[in-house]
């Protein structure tokens, strides 16, 4: 967006000595001292937290407008509106009066000069920090950040993802998918595509909603993001290029308000599936699939056309049985799925923690049983019986006709009341290993015991009270260790911590049968 307020709001010198010391991405809010999502005012160089932390940057702007609304604006006041600020992590510029991100600059190019100055400060701080960490690695005091594996000491190799402005919903899903080995490896092995050339080659761009570049590839940016994770970098990766593509092809996720992580995951998988169907970098989708020998034809589940890695990994098939209660006519249909959305049974909804004593603990098996149990449809869901020639009372039951390689289970924690979308904060107990899905299969006798067992790979957790607020984090296992992914922060954690989490989305990976092993 072309902002008309830059000339009156951008007043600080690019090399202002008023800037705090240290890395700009780690600057602290001058009010609450939080170092999450710092923004610097381009009028006075003060630093405040973003609107999705404690909102002090916006309050700084609002407080500066009070004398302007109560009194006639003087020329001095007109030139100091504290309207424009810059994100200290992504260096994007935002105008509170326009309520949008800014793409233009002042006549003197002050915005770009400030941006370059912040980048230089960040690089200098990173270099100094790298030397400091190198010395610390030689010191035994770093043992708290190291882990002993088979007698040797190794550093945490996971990389965090920067929060670009309430994008924790995206970060949690990306970290979870990056720990599903077969899915992640497929994308990382795809050939790279260079989308920018000519004058823009190698230049960092600052995307906003108003830009019109249509030459984008979700598969390519997703591939780059996955490649950036698990490389041992101590600096969090910024997924801004991927987020820009998300804005371009998924209008529902434009802006910086909180979003539903499950909804984002479904949109992401659907669009990856569609783009892979259309071919990638001149190579047909079918050729790419054939190169990956682990994705056999028997594991493919077609959704909206031909199979891709998305449906080969996450695709399963449900059988939906509906029986007319008047004439007994039975109707069956098969529905492909990428995930299962499970209700939390109402009788468990008062129990909010694992150790709470009032009532039994809800388990994942209770949720699965509720999903597959015979259900009588209510008056609003009457079944159109072809034999009776009218809508009749009926029953419905789901069976799983085919299990996927990765079973994604979504616990329906948000539900609508008359005017609000409330959260079901019930604790649901889930197994880390050996989730047995055999009893939910349509033909369990045709599946071996090993094919129905699943082990947990990742968990997405929503912290807070509502879908439009709160915060998302993820737990995931990598090479036998559990990690907690909280945006740019990644920490090793214990299994006991994982099982206490109030799961929102669970990713279970099919257990691979070992040759010559005993049956479980």
């Amino acid at each position: 967006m072309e902002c008309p307020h830059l000339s009156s709001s951008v007043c600080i010198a690019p090399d202002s000595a008023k800037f705090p010391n240290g890395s700009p991405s780690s600057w602290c809010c001058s009010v609450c001292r939080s170092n999450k999502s710092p923004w610097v005012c381009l009028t006075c160089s003060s630093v405040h937290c973003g609107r999705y932390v404690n909102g002090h940057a916006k309050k700084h702007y609002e407080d500066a407008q009070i004398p302007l609304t109560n009194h006639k604006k003087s020329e001095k006041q007109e030139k100091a509106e504290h309207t424009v600020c810059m994100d200290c992590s992504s260096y994007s510029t935002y105008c509170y009066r326009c309520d949008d991100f800014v793409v233009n600059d002042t006549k003197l190019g002050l915005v770009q000069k400030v941006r370059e100055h912040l980048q230089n400060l960040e690089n200098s701080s990173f270099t100094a920090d790298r030397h400091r960490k190198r010395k610390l690695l030689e010191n035994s005091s770093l043992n708290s950040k190291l882990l002993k594996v088979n007698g040797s000491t190794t550093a945490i190799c996971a990389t965090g993802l920067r929060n670009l402005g309430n994008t924790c919903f995206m970060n949690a899903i990306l970290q979870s998918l990056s720990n599903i080995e077969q899915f992640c490896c497929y994308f990382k092995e795809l050939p790279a595509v260079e989308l920018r050339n000519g004058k823009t080659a190698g230049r960092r761009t600052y995307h906003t909603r108003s830009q019109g570049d249509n030459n984008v590839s979700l598969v390519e940016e997703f591939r780059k993001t996955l490649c950036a994770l698990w490389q041992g970098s101590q600096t969090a990766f910024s997924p801004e290029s991927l987020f820009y593509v998300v804005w371009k092809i998924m209008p529902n996720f434009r802006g910086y308000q909180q979003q539903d992580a499950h909804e984002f995951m479904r949109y992401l998988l659907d669009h990856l599936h569609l783009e892979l169907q259309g071919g990638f970098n001149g190579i047909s989708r079918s050729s790419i699939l054939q190169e990956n020998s682990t994705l056999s034809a028997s594991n493919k589940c077609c959704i909206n056309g031909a199979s891709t890695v998305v449906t080969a990994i996450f695709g399963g098939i449900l059988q939906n049985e509906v029986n007319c209660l008047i004439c007994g006519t039975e109707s069956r249909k098969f529905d492909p799925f990428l995930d299962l959305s499970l209700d939390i049974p109402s009788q468990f909804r008062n129990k909010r923690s694992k150790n709470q004593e009032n009532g039994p603990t809800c388990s994942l098996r209770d949720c699965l049983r509720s999903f597959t149990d015979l259900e009588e449809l209510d008056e609003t869901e009457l079944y159109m019986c072809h034999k009776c020639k009218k809508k009749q009372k009926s029953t419905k039951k789901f069976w799983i006709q085919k299990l996927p390689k990765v079973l994604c289970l979504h616990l329906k924690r948000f539900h609508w009341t008359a005017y609000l979308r409330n959260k079901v904060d019930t604790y649901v107990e889930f197994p880390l290993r050996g989730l047995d899905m055999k009893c939910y299969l349509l033909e369990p006798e045709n599946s071996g015991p090993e094919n129905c067992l699943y082990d947990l790979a990742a968990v997405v957790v929503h912290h807070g009270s509502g879908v439009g607020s709160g915060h998302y984090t993820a737990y995931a296992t990598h090479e036998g260790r559990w990690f907690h992914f909280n945006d740019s922060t990644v920490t090793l954690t214990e299994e006991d911590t994982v099982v206490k989490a109030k799961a929102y989305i669970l990713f279970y990976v099919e257990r691979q049968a070992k040759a010559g092993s005993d049956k479980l």
Side-chain angles (χ1 to χ4, degrees), residues 286-344:
S286 58
S287 299
I288 298 173
L289 268 178
Q290 288 170 6
E291 288 178 5
N292 194 330
S293 59
T294 61
L295 302 180
S296 63
S298 62
N299 289 324
K300 296 177 184 177
C301 172
C302 298
I303 297 176
N304 296 328
S307 175
T308 67
V309 67
V310 175
T311 53
I313 297 290
F314 291 95
I317 300 175
L318 281 176
Q319 178 177 292
N320 183 0
E321 293 182 359
V322 179
N323 284 276
C324 176
L325 291 177
I326 305 301
C327 69
T329 299
E330 183 180 273
S331 172
R332 296 180 182 178
K333 71 172 183 175
F334 294 94
D335 298 314
F337 68 87
L338 295 179
D339 70 310
L340 298 178
S341 291
L342 311 178
D343 282 306
I344 298 175

Side-chain angles (χ1 to χ4, degrees), residues 349 412-417 420-424:
R349 292 190 178 180
K412 295 162 73 172
R413 291 196 174 274
F414 302 105
H415 67 98
W416 286 101
T417 57
L420 299 173
R421 196 178 186 188
N422 293 329
K423 181 179 178 182
V424 179

